[in-house]
Amino acid sequence: MSYAGAIAALAQHLPSVLAALGPGQRERLLSLLRAASGASAPGLAQLRLVSFLVDALPVTHPVRRAAAADDAYLGAVVEDLDIETAFAQIERMWTAEVGVRNDPVDVAAVVHKRLLAVASYDGAHVRRLGHDPESAALIRLDGRYPAFQFAEDGTVPDVVVRVNRMLRAERDPWGVADWWLSTNAWLDVPPVALLGEDRDDHLLAAAAAVAGGD
């Protein structure tokens, strides 16, 4: 598979790529995407991008498999790379997900808009539930607390506390919320879907895999 094919796979699977990366790695991906889409000589920038994905993603991830399918992807620059078509695929994916036109590599803006749309509580409500709004175990997005963190009885499940602390929600609340709500490369579903399903061990293992890669 050519470099363009690997980037086409990235366009198809970008949500699970973001879920598989640690917060610092997402920033690196954003930087590499911007460099690859704006470079006057995109071959070297593309090499760096694909090499990063190969190093960062689990061996079973479809983008990793797509890149590895090209025997020479770590060799010389591929002459026939259609960079415009490859990044147009990413742009179409963002448009389909968000419903409006966005910079295809403005990952933070797209993710933030999606996360701010989820059901949430304000700090006063969290306090009425008996929790400290300043707790490092809770995700806080622009002063709002995503409701999925709380059980029906108002408690915060232990697995939520452990995952949020493991992924350092106090440092990167947007990244941790995105982890919970995006399809996960290891779980094949958004982690939030497994809350209350007696799958705490799976959630903790998936979070540990991400935390270990940060």
Side-chain angles (χ1 to χ4, degrees):
M1 181 177 288
S2 69
Y3 283 98
I7 301 309
L10 176 62
Q12 295 170 15
H13 299 283
L14 189 55
S16 67
V17 169
L18 294 176
L21 299 179
Q25 291 175 313
R26 291 193 191 99
E27 294 179 4
R28 176 63 174 159
L29 174 60
L30 178 58
S31 175
L32 290 169
L33 280 167
R34 285 175 171 160
S37 63
S40 58
L44 181 56
Q46 201 72 10
L47 171 63
R48 290 171 176 160
L49 172 60
V50 176
S51 297
F52 166 79
L53 291 169
V54 169
D55 289 340
L57 294 173
V59 294
T60 57
H61 195 282
V63 174
R64 168 80 177 264
R65 294 200 304 266
D70 175 12
D71 294 336
Y73 81 96
L74 287 178
V77 171
V78 173
E79 296 293 338
D80 63 351
L81 174 62
D82 187 347
I83 188 69
E84 292 184 3
T85 298
F87 281 95
Q89 291 174 333
I90 296 177
E91 181 173 4
R92 284 195 296 272
M93 188 204 69
W94 283 125
T95 301
E97 285 210 345
V98 181
V100 296
R101 186 178 180 86
N102 285 281
D103 180 347
V105 298
D106 192 356
V107 174
V110 175
V111 170
H112 285 201
K113 181 174 182 176
R114 176 169 61 87
L115 296 179
L116 287 174
V118 305
S120 62
Y121 302 137
D122 61 19
H125 186 81
V126 170
R127 191 173 287 107
R128 286 196 296 272
L129 292 176
H131 307 291
D132 178 6
E134 300 301 320
S135 171
L138 292 176
I139 298 168
R140 182 173 67 253
L141 307 176
D142 285 355
R144 305 289 297 183
Y145 299 78
F148 71 79
Q149 301 175 97
F150 303 88
E152 291 184 3
D153 62 1
T155 61
V156 179
D158 180 64
V159 68
V160 172
V161 172
R162 294 176 66 184
V163 167
N164 285 353
R165 288 188 181 278
M166 187 185 306
L167 299 182
R168 300 184 179 182
E170 78 281 5
R171 288 177 46 190
D172 181 24
W174 299 98
V176 180
D178 183 44
W179 182 89
W180 278 108
L181 296 169
S182 298
T183 299
N184 187 276
W186 287 273
L187 303 172
D188 293 326
V189 295
V192 69
L194 301 186
L195 289 176
E197 298 294 325
D198 197 26
R199 299 280 298 278
D200 290 2
D201 288 348
H202 295 82
L203 288 169
L204 291 169
V210 174
D214 185 14

